[in-house]
């Protein structure tokens, strides 16, 4: 590599050196989900395009994919993918907290039962990995109890799956606790599932690295880890990563102090508080992931601003005169000149302003002020004279609400109903979007994308040995 410095961009991100070739390992991608085969909620919507998904990932430099196993079925399907794409696809095997109802007394299916392609949509829906969003209105309450005889069988079968798997299986998991999504499995059963799997992970010879999940359950999560591996996790031989991290700064620091790594994806950038946590993650503890088909970065996320084109330069004024807020009909006072340091604190809408145009008199504050002045200064005049200078009411429709600037897409994006070969499907997150994760992390931390990519690559290889 040359000795030239990275080029600073206006949003605080430094671009990679001209001769640097980015490289990524997506540590968490649910490629075994039927959505990557063109099936949505049990129904085929377009041709199987898994090969295209992997090809797009490779085009951006994401050459290694660790496919998440979150149940017996998805773990076995992931192993099949690894056999189909050797050297590119690696896998994990475990039981996700949202899949842990199989340990419960009321679970009515065999834990290793696979749905066939011909089953109805209600059954096929269960093939999908759980979506990210919580549903606090429908929790499964404790009291159902654990079927301990079944639990022994589940753990025995999981041990057999792991010990007989090829070397493409590189981690134990995904497993852990998720108190945000108790509508999938009760807290009582989740705790049993996590503890039972931790005991298995601790006695495996050799041990596997852990692929962990913790959501709104930090204290119980850490307690059970320590019970299995010691107060400082000194008996955890290969380490592990807490993926899709959305916890607090203090929680993240405790996990890093225990020697664990932190995985970030789109869910890690939703709020300013989330981004503040990402800023504090040490590069020596960072891993990158997409968690597709879920967890894409969205325009509503606080981290989205780090993807925007450089509309604001260090010496450029963000707003030099009142800007009309079309949605509320009010005017925002003129802002002070913003430097690049200021930009990271702005909202997405703030970063879109470059050289704002005055609001049309027919809209927003201008219209309200005009009407108010006429009411005060022209009292006694006939109503029709008051309306004469105003444009027709429908004229406001000719001035649509200003769109947010779009983030350039590397690949064409289409709706699933208009699928075409080579295009991404709208709303289906893919591993090729990992470059956005790296860019946002770089922007938040104020370092180059190269530093982020190289740190995450080395950390991942160190733990999972996938190079």
């Amino acid at each position: 590599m040359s000795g030239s410095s990275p080029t600073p961009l206006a949003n605080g991100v430094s671009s990679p050196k001209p001769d640097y070739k980015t490289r990524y390992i997506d540590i968490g991608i649910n490629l075994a989900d039927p959505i990557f085969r063109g099936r949505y909620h049990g129904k085929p919507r377009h041709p199987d395009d898994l090969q295209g998904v992997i090809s797009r990932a490779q085009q951006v430099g994401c050459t290694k994919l660790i496919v998440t196993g979150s149940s017996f079925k998805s773990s076995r399907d992931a192993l099949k993918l690894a056999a189909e794409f050797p050297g590119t696809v690696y896998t994990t095997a475990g039981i996700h907290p949202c899949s842990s109802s199989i340990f419960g007394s009321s679970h009515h299916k065999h834990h290793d039962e696979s749905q066939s392609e011909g089953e109805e949509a209600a059954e096929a829906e269960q093939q999908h990995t759980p979506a990210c969003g919580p549903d606090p209105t429908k929790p499964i309450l404790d009291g159902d109890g654990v079927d301990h005889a079944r639990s022994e069988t589940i753990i025995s079968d999981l041990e057999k799956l792991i010990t007989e798997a090829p070397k493409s299986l590189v981690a134990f998991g995904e497993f852990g606790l998720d108190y945000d999504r108790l509508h999938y499995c009760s807290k009582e059963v989740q705790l049993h599932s996590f503890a039972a799997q931790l005991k298995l992970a601790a006695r495996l010879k050799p041990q596997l690295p852990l692929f962990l999940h913790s959501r709104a359950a930090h204290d119980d999560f850490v307690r059970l880890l320590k019970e299995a591996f010691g107060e400082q996790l000194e008996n955890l031989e290969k380490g592990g990563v807490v993926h899709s991290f959305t916890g607090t700064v203090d929680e993240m620091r405790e996990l890093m102090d225990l020697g664990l790594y932190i995985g970030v994806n789109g869910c890690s950038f939703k709020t300013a508080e989330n981004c503040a946590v990402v800023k504090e993650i040490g590069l020596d503890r960072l891993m990158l992931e997409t968690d597709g088909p879920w967890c894409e970065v969205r325009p509503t996320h606080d981290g989205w601003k780090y993807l925007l084109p450089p509309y604001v330069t260090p010496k450029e004024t963000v707003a030099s005169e009142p800007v009309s807020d079309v949605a509320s009909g009010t005017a925002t006072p003129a802002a002070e000149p913003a430097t690049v340091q200021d930009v990271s604190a702005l909202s997405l809408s703030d970063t879109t302003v470059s050289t704002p145009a005055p609001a049309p008199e027919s809209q927003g504050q201008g219209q309200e002020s005009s009407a108010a002045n006429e009411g005060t200064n022209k009292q006694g005049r006939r109503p029709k004279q008051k309306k004469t200078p105003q444009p027709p009411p429908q004229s406001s429709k000719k001035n649509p609400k200003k769109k947010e600037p779009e983030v350039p897409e590397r690949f064409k994006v289409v709706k699933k109903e208009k699928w075409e070969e080579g295009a991404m499907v709208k709303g289906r997150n893919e591993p090729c979007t990992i470059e956005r994760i790296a860019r946002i992390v770089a922007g938040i931390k104020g370092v180059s994308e190269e530093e982020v990519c190289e740190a995450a690559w080395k950390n991942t290889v160190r733990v999972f040995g996938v190079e």
Side-chain angles (χ1 to χ4, degrees), residues 29-164:
I29 172 67
N30 301 288
L31 281 187
D33 193 291
I35 201 170
F36 290 113
R37 298 288 192 177
R39 296 183 65 85
Y40 298 74
H41 307 293
K43 297 180 180 179
R45 296 297 187 184
H46 58 73
D48 181 336
D49 62 344
L50 179 62
Q51 179 63 65
V53 171
I54 293 176
S55 176
R56 285 187 287 276
Q58 293 171 331
Q59 288 180 57
V60 305
C62 187
T63 57
K64 308 287 182 182
L65 307 169
I66 301 180
V67 178
T68 311
S70 56
S71 66
F72 278 93
K73 176 173 172 51
S74 62
S75 296
R76 295 187 194 283
D77 287 347
L79 287 168
K80 293 176 184 177
L81 290 178
E84 187 177 351
F85 300 96
T88 297
V89 170
Y90 300 84
T91 74
T92 74
I95 303 169
H96 192 287
C98 295
S99 301
S100 291
S101 60
I102 59 175
F103 290 93
S105 297
S106 63
H107 191 76
H108 64 283
K109 287 189 175 182
H110 189 274
H111 57 270
D112 201 22
E113 188 175 13
S114 292
Q115 288 85 17
S116 68
E117 289 295 313
E119 288 184 311
E120 58 185 282
E123 292 294 321
E125 175 69 15
Q126 297 177 23
Q127 297 181 42
H128 291 275
T129 50
C132 295
D135 187 358
T137 64
K138 300 178 181 178
I140 297 175
L141 302 178
D142 292 343
D144 179 48
V146 172
D147 186 326
H148 291 280
R150 179 186 293 160
S151 177
E152 289 183 10
T153 302
I154 291 171
I155 294 301
S156 176
D157 288 354
L158 182 59
E159 181 175 12
K160 183 178 180 181
L161 187 157
I162 291 172
T163 56
E164 295 181 357

Side-chain angles (χ1 to χ4, degrees), residues 248-438:
T248 68
V249 170
D250 289 341
E251 291 170 352
M252 179 269 296
R253 286 175 176 158
E254 182 175 11
L255 296 173
M256 289 198 302
D257 288 344
L258 289 171
L260 296 171
Y261 292 78
I262 308 296
V264 297
N265 57 39
C267 291
S268 307
F269 310 131
K270 286 184 178 181
T271 67
E273 290 77 12
N274 291 150
C275 292
V277 173
V278 172
K279 187 173 184 179
E280 298 301 316
I281 299 174
L283 285 177
D284 63 338
R285 291 287 149 185
L286 174 72
M287 292 188 187
L288 303 177
E289 59 178 291
T290 60
D291 207 19
W294 322 113
C295 297
E296 64 185 344
V297 186
R298 298 179 180 178
T300 55
H301 291 181
D302 189 74
W304 181 263
K305 59 177 171 275
Y306 295 102
L307 300 176
L308 295 173
Y311 287 102
V312 184
T313 61
K315 295 182 180 180
E316 186 177 0
T317 300
V318 172
S320 58
E321 55 185 282
V323 181
S324 174
D325 184 337
V326 178
S328 64
T330 61
T332 303
E336 294 296 326
T339 65
V340 65
Q341 288 82 10
D342 296 323
V343 174
S344 63
L346 296 176
S347 67
L348 175 62
S349 59
D350 289 330
T351 62
T352 69
V353 182
S354 179
T355 309
E361 289 186 359
S362 62
Q363 291 185 348
Q365 180 70 20
Q367 185 173 355
E368 292 180 4
S369 298
S370 175
N373 289 337
E374 286 183 351
T376 301
N377 301 327
K378 299 181 181 180
Q379 292 178 359
R381 293 190 180 186
R382 290 177 296 177
K384 65 180 182 179
Q385 292 176 322
K386 180 177 179 180
K387 295 181 180 179
T388 301
Q390 300 299 323
Q394 63 270 23
S395 65
S396 61
K397 296 181 181 180
K398 297 180 181 180
N399 296 279
K401 184 178 180 179
K402 183 168 58 179
K403 289 184 177 180
E404 304 289 4
E406 295 183 358
V407 173
E409 298 283 0
R410 182 185 286 264
F411 304 101
K412 185 176 181 180
V413 180
V414 299
K415 294 181 178 180
K416 61 180 180 293
E417 294 82 6
K418 297 183 178 181
W419 180 89
E420 59 183 78
E421 189 171 358
M424 293 176 62
V425 175
K426 185 177 182 179
R428 185 187 69 175
N429 196 18
E430 291 190 12
C432 67
T433 64
I434 198 167
E435 59 183 354
R436 291 186 170 186
I437 306 301

Side-chain angles (χ1 to χ4, degrees), residues 177-182 187 190-191 215-218 220-221:
L177 299 172
D178 192 324
Y179 294 170
D180 269 348
R181 292 186 283 181
L182 296 175
K187 183 184 296 186
Q190 284 191 37
L191 286 166
R215 193 65 56 85
H218 180 77
D220 284 343
F221 179 77

